[in-house]
Amino acid sequence: MAIHNTILTPSNADATDTPPAATESDPSSPVIDSHDDRIAPLAEMHVDVDLQDDVAALDWDSVDESAFWPELKEAFKVFQRGSTWGTVWISLIDLFLVFEEMAGFLDDSKIKLPTNDCPSVIADFMCQRRNWSEKWPVGDLDVFSPLFWKWWRSLQPNTRIHEDRLIKPDFVDWDSLQDKSGRNGMSLVIGALLWWGEAVSDLTDEAGSARREDWVLAVADVTWALDNMIRHATFRKVSCSAKRTAAEANMDKENAPLSKASSLLSVIKPNADNSS
């Protein structure tokens, strides 16, 4: 499947039933394309996550965690709380693990995502013992959602921004995001999406349906970014200097590309288009 140049477009949902839509004067809020007005549980909501068609699924029970940095082991168990939310969540976690492996499972405390604009739940988590097993409350969803979108947009390369909206161009320079592995990197984005998903998963009214759709769109965009970085970023042979990682151990004597050697990267199935 080709990766489309996609723009999130305005919602056509009734304004009385949904959070206020973003306007040009309020770029901090997301712009939602309301594709489905029914009240659907997360697992039944369908959003095209715009992945290429050679993406498989990992068997979470069989994932080798031996190279994980310690906090990732705990986080991975917690991320599996969303396993009933369907493919949109499962694809996100699969590609997040691949992203971490391609970064060499490097957990450097100096590697940090900017948190100036992040939702308060991220700061709470980081300041209060970083307990992944806790279900961290995101608070008022009408406040959390625009804050998350503002933060996520602030992390994106300039080529992804078009008139205050996120787009999916054919080429993105990921230098600003591709090295954000470890405890203070992309794992914080995934954590925010987990806690957001838990907050909207039990909503049953029409406003809840719009809020769930907002979450699905956020998950889909983060998933697309991870997929694009895995395929096109330049960190394919980054490794932890302290020890050989599981990904490195799988490299053959001819130093084959990591995408062919990595156990986690089996999520990307070789085909005629991407094999070499």
Side-chain angles (χ1 to χ4, degrees):
M1 184 196 315
I3 296 179
H4 305 293
N5 188 344
T6 305
I7 301 177
L8 302 183
T9 54
S11 172
N12 59 13
D14 190 320
T16 62
D17 292 330
T18 62
T23 65
E24 292 300 322
S25 61
D26 181 21
S28 64
S29 298
V31 187
I32 303 169
D33 180 10
S34 182
H35 57 82
D36 193 341
D37 292 330
R38 63 194 172 93
I39 302 174
L42 294 181
E44 295 180 12
M45 300 194 74
H46 302 288
V47 170
D48 183 3
V49 296
D50 239 359
L51 301 181
Q52 296 190 27
D53 56 10
D54 57 349
V55 176
L58 292 175
D59 179 358
W60 287 355
D61 291 334
S62 301
V63 169
D64 181 1
E65 302 179 20
S66 61
F68 285 15
W69 31 277
E71 196 173 297
L72 179 58
K73 295 180 180 180
E74 181 182 0
F76 178 46
K77 290 182 177 65
V78 171
F79 295 158
Q80 294 179 57
R81 294 202 303 242
S83 61
T84 60
W85 296 342
T87 302
V88 67
W89 181 256
I90 292 170
S91 295
L92 172 71
I93 303 307
D94 285 355
L95 291 171
F96 166 68
L97 292 178
V98 174
F99 170 86
E100 290 292 332
E101 182 178 49
M102 293 185 72
F105 292 116
L106 181 63
D107 182 30
D108 185 337
S109 60
K110 296 179 181 179
I111 298 176
K112 298 179 180 180
L113 286 176
T115 55
N116 294 341
D117 296 319
C118 73
S120 60
V121 67
I122 298 294
D124 292 344
F125 167 77
M126 295 180 72
C127 293
Q128 299 180 35
R129 302 184 304 281
R130 302 176 65 97
N131 183 1
W132 280 104
S133 62
E134 183 174 338
K135 290 189 177 181
W136 292 87
V138 300
D140 187 341
L141 291 170
D142 292 345
V143 174
F144 176 87
S145 171
L147 280 176
F148 177 88
W149 281 105
K150 180 180 180 182
W151 179 47
W152 175 242
R153 186 165 48 245
S154 74
L155 303 177
Q156 303 307 297
N158 291 335
T159 49
R160 288 215 62 205
I161 310 298
H162 176 74
E163 296 179 352
D164 295 320
R165 289 164 173 79
L166 291 177
I167 63 173
K168 298 175 181 177
D170 292 332
F171 173 78
V172 180
D173 183 347
W174 291 108
D175 282 353
S176 63
L177 199 57
Q178 68 186 23
D179 65 340
K180 297 302 188 291
S181 63
R183 74 189 76 178
N184 295 320
M186 285 296 296
S187 61
L188 297 178
V189 176
I190 309 302
L193 290 171
L194 171 72
W195 304 320
W196 187 2
E198 290 176 330
V200 301
S201 61
D202 295 328
L203 299 178
T204 58
D205 58 5
E206 291 184 14
S209 183
R211 291 185 174 96
R212 287 196 300 275
E213 184 173 344
D214 187 15
W215 174 85
V216 170
L217 287 170
V219 171
D221 195 76
V222 176
T223 302
W224 178 88
L226 289 169
D227 181 62
N228 201 268
M229 282 190 281
I230 288 165
R231 295 174 187 278
H232 303 298
T234 57
F235 60 172
R236 293 186 180 276
K237 295 182 182 179
V238 172
S239 63
C240 177
S241 60
K243 62 179 182 179
R244 287 175 55 84
T245 66
E248 290 177 298
N250 284 330
M251 298 288 281
D252 66 20
K253 293 181 180 180
E254 296 179 358
N255 200 27
L258 187 58
S259 59
K260 289 186 177 180
S262 162
S263 57
L264 289 181
L265 273 161
S266 63
V267 71
I268 308 296
K269 298 183 294 184
N271 60 23
D273 294 330
N274 63 15
S275 59
S276 57

